[in-house]
Each structure stands twice: as structure tokens, then as C-alpha cells.
Amino acid sequence: SQQGEEDPQALSIQEGENATMNCSYKTSINNLQWYRQNSGRGLVHLILIRSNEREKHSGRLRVTLDTSKKSSSLLITASRAADTASYFCAPQFGTGANNLFFGTGTRLTVIP
Amino acid sequence: DAGITQSPRHKVTETGTPVTLRCHQTENHRYMYWYRQDPGHGLRLIHYSYGVKDTDKGEVSDGYSVSRSKTEDFLLTLESATSSQTSVYFCAIRKDRDTGELFFGEGSRLTVL
């Protein structure tokens, strides 16, 4: 399977702490995307990192990419209860979203 | 709001009946996608469309057909629903020509008894 694999499957932290989620994949990618899904809702795109980038920031989000290890991480700093959601990585192995493969996600719970 | 509406949002049906899910977009994007989401499998691509009457299969297309007669509508049809097609179905559109960044609808929960 070409899907990304997230680790851990579930994560529970206190509000204000940082949350780190990891993603591994198996073959070369064009880019890697992270999405969030609140319970009962559709996925929301968070950030895209291209294969020639090593780090990217967006607000409280920091994404790193190590193509030599075929892995990425998503760091959410100073977490809030509203960050409670499932987070999915999606490596893209070619052009077009038909080459985007979603993992099974990390379920993050932020305790107020 | 990506301007995507899915209907119906919830449906319960019986094995062997046909089911059609509709995805409607208001922004005239060329690329549209249907995914299913199941526990332990993440999201898997069923079919996608790259224009009116232009569609192609995804990873899990067996048992599904699609049609796109207008830019704004992408229909997913289960010709004869089975219990294994019980799932949450998501429609998505691609806005950026160069990346695969997707914008999703709110999902359609289908239960096949």
C-alpha cells in the first residue's frame, strides 16, 4: 500500500502542551499533505510540504519532512481543546490528487 | 467553505437496492473526487473526474460507477448496494492546478442493511 502511516494512533495531552504526530511512507513523493478532521465532519487541509522542503510553518503548526527517512512530522504547539481532532498525512506520489494516499490518522485529544 | 454540498447526508438502504450520492460544487472546478472512509483504512479513492464526461477509477472502484454531465455535479452510484459498502462517503474538489490539495464536503453516511 502507498498510504502514509501515522504514529501514534491516538494521543492525549493537556491544553498548552505540544503535540507531535509522525507519518511514514514507502516510496518517493512529490509532496506530503496534512489534514485535520473534526468528528463527523469533512477533512480540512492544513499544510503542504514539497519534497525539496525540510520544514514549513503555519501558525501553531510546524511540519518537517525527511525524504531520506521517508518520514514527516506535524507539531502543534500550545495546543487548545479546539485542536481535538483526527490528523491525517497524505503523501502524494505523482501529479494530481489521484496519487494522494491518506493514512489512517492520529486521534488527538486535548484535555482542557 | 469550499462550496461543496453532498446529498443525502444520511441514508439507510437495503442490500441489492441502487443508491446515488450527489456532490455539487459552486466554484466551477475541473477536478472532483469520491472517497470512502472506513475504520482502519483511512480514506480511499473510489473514482475521480477531470472534466465533464471524463472520469477514471481509483483504488476501490469495484461496485461503483460515476457520472459527470455538468461541471458542478459529480454523482456516485452503487448499482446494487452491499453491506460492505456501508461507509462514509466524501466528495472533494481540487482547486490548485499544481498540487493535490483537496477541499472536502461534509460527507454522506450510508448504511446498507
Side-chain angles (χ1 to χ4, degrees):
Chain A
S1 172
Q2 291 184 297
Q3 69 180 147
E5 294 183 12
E6 292 92 345
D7 172 67
Q9 291 187 338
L11 179 61
S12 184
I13 60 174
Q14 296 288 330
E15 202 165 32
E17 294 181 338
N18 295 341
T20 300
M21 288 158 270
N22 303 297
C23 172
S24 60
Y25 56 92
K26 295 181 179 177
T27 60
S28 297
I29 58 172
N30 277 17
N31 65 62
L32 187 142
Q33 303 177 33
W34 286 90
Y35 289 79
R36 183 188 75 228
Q37 184 180 34
N38 289 67
S39 182
R41 306 294 299 274
L43 278 73
V44 174
H45 183 268
L46 292 177
I47 197 166
L48 179 151
I49 186 165
R50 299 180 188 274
S51 59
N52 61 354
E53 298 176 311
R54 292 296 169 259
E55 187 170 312
K56 201 163 184 179
H57 296 255
S58 177
R60 294 184 294 112
L61 305 181
R62 172 178 167 247
V63 168
T64 60
L65 179 64
D66 187 334
T67 53
S68 66
K69 295 181 179 178
K70 294 185 173 57
S71 67
S72 175
S73 67
L74 171 66
L75 169 67
I76 304 174
T77 60
S79 63
R80 305 167 181 168
D83 294 328
T84 293
S86 292
Y87 292 82
F88 296 86
C89 74
Q92 186 172 349
F93 298 98
T95 58
N98 53 302
N99 290 304
L100 196 64
F101 291 86
F102 289 85
T104 55
T106 292
R107 175 68 188 171
L108 173 66
T109 301
V110 181
I111 303 167
Chain B
D1 183 3
I4 304 172
T5 304
Q6 291 187 229
S7 59
R9 294 291 313 281
H10 300 272
K11 186 171 182 65
V12 179
T13 191
E14 294 188 348
T15 298
T17 60
V19 175
T20 295
L21 305 179
R22 179 181 183 238
C23 178
H24 177 80
Q25 60 151 326
T26 58
E27 299 183 356
N28 226 30
H29 293 286
R30 180 180 172 193
Y31 288 85
M32 299 182 75
Y33 304 82
W34 275 109
Y35 287 87
R36 60 178 289 174
Q37 184 176 33
D38 304 288
H41 289 280
L43 265 77
R44 292 179 292 174
L45 181 65
I46 305 171
H47 281 280
Y48 66 100
S49 171
Y50 46 97
V52 173
K53 295 187 177 4
D54 292 324
T55 65
D56 207 346
K57 296 179 179 180
E59 184 183 0
V60 290
S61 60
D62 288 348
Y64 301 95
S65 62
V66 290
S67 65
R68 191 157 177 213
S69 58
K70 299 184 290 184
T71 299
E72 58 266 36
D73 289 326
F74 191 32
L75 304 180
L76 177 70
T77 297
L78 291 66
E79 301 289 350
S80 177
T82 68
S83 58
S84 64
Q85 294 176 310
T86 291
S87 187
V88 181
Y89 292 86
F90 288 96
C91 175
I93 60 175
R94 189 181 96 187
K95 292 189 177 183
D96 189 297
R97 180 177 177 176
D98 295 325
T99 72
E101 180 182 341
L102 296 174
F103 292 81
F104 285 83
E106 292 296 291
S108 296
R109 181 175 293 276
L110 175 67
T111 302
V112 184
L113 302 176

